[in-house]
Amino acid sequence: MEPDLRTELALTSHVDFLRAASVREPDGAVLDEDGLFLYAGPHPLPVLVNGALRVEPGLEAHEVIDRARTFFVARGRGFSVYGLVGRDDDLIVAAEGAGMSAFGDPAPFMVLTDPLPPTDLPSGVRLERVTSAQQVADAAAVCADAYSVYGMPAEVAPACLTPRTMLAPDTAAVVAYDRDGPAATATAMAARGVSYLSWVGTAPRAMRRGLGEAVTRAATAAGLELGADVTALLASPMGAPVYRRMGFADVGSLASRVALDAVGR
């Protein structure tokens, strides 16, 4: 697969995931037209859950900012603007000019074109496919704990990880349990032949036991079972080295600028 094609594939699967994650929840909304994708998720967090992506590079950067601001002002939310490093540098500059702030380093898009064999689990750990509301709640609890290291409020994961999204026919999630309860989780959503991995997390109490890799491998296999041929993800700072070691290839990076309030500043 050509490098540029892999980058577009990763970006498209990311958008497909954000669309589904937004429209399946009562408080979510999406606007996808004229080369611009805007999404408001089930929580007002301006990072990750509410954002704007330019899917057609010909769209003027100032138009992205203006239309995003109008969309989110109507909802009383802050938001983030995202752009592919290299392709969308003008958009990031425009966002900075509009008073938006950097939030961390660019996140790498990664793609895997081969299946991953399962890995051995530590003693006392079992993997379960998520099929019930209780397992959904367990996955949300793990992510709430895991993502707190990035400053994510505890209520965001339960708002986003609900039975409406996690038990959808195109989605498969796994949870690793140890003697103390849910310890790690990962989710795959398949669309257009691509499985997108999201909400990969390990509870801090269970770190350094290989559980993050175990659930990633299991979720990758589950995505292929849903009919995907390729797996894609947007990596966190802690997850990126693990994914590379497993065979995921970097295919681009996504930069972001965030507006903490509804007027875009």
Side-chain angles (χ1 to χ4, degrees):
M1 188 180 296
E2 294 297 323
D4 288 349
L5 179 58
R6 293 189 302 169
T7 304
E8 289 302 319
L9 179 150
L11 178 62
T12 299
S13 65
H14 181 63
V15 169
D16 285 341
F17 161 72
L18 293 171
R19 179 185 294 107
S22 299
V23 301
R24 289 173 179 169
E25 299 297 335
D27 296 330
V30 162
L31 179 64
D32 189 359
E33 62 182 22
D34 302 327
L36 179 62
F37 176 73
L38 305 171
Y39 67 98
H43 188 278
L45 185 74
V47 179
L48 301 178
V49 189
N50 296 274
L53 292 97
R54 180 171 62 181
V55 294
E56 294 293 340
L59 186 64
E60 293 290 339
H62 70 84
E63 186 175 352
V64 173
I65 305 298
D66 292 344
R67 288 166 61 184
R69 181 173 290 157
T70 298
F71 181 84
F72 287 104
V73 163
R75 289 163 174 80
R77 295 184 175 190
F79 62 97
S80 293
V81 168
Y82 297 92
L84 282 173
V85 173
R87 192 195 76 174
D88 295 322
D89 291 348
D90 63 318
L91 177 57
I92 299 302
V93 171
E96 292 174 347
M100 302 178 74
S101 303
F103 185 83
D105 296 328
F109 272 126
M110 295 184 175
V111 166
L112 181 74
T113 56
D114 298 315
L116 287 174
T119 188
D120 293 334
L121 294 173
S123 176
V125 176
R126 71 184 188 279
L127 284 179
E128 293 185 5
R129 180 76 70 90
V130 173
T131 59
S132 70
Q134 181 57 59
Q135 290 167 317
V136 170
D138 291 342
V142 169
C143 289
D145 199 10
Y147 285 73
S148 66
V149 301
Y150 300 115
M152 180 178 284
E155 71 275 8
V156 176
C160 296
L161 277 65
T162 73
R164 283 181 292 270
T165 57
M166 299 285 279
L167 302 180
D170 61 0
T171 299
V174 296
V175 176
Y177 293 87
D178 63 12
R179 296 180 181 90
D180 295 317
T185 188
T187 299
M189 191 200 85
R192 292 189 269 192
V194 182
S195 173
Y196 185 83
L197 298 189
S198 66
W199 291 108
V200 181
T202 302
R205 66 168 182 81
M207 296 287 285
R208 303 189 184 283
R209 296 167 60 194
L211 300 186
E213 180 170 345
V215 295
T216 299
R217 287 177 179 270
T220 299
L224 299 182
E225 291 172 8
L226 291 173
D229 300 311
V230 179
T231 304
L233 56 81
L234 185 68
S236 67
M238 285 194 295
V242 177
Y243 302 133
R244 292 185 184 114
R245 187 172 66 245
M246 295 167 63
F248 283 84
D250 291 66
V251 297
S253 295
L254 196 67
S256 64
R257 296 295 183 268
V258 60
L260 298 178
D261 60 33
V263 297
R265 294 185 181 274

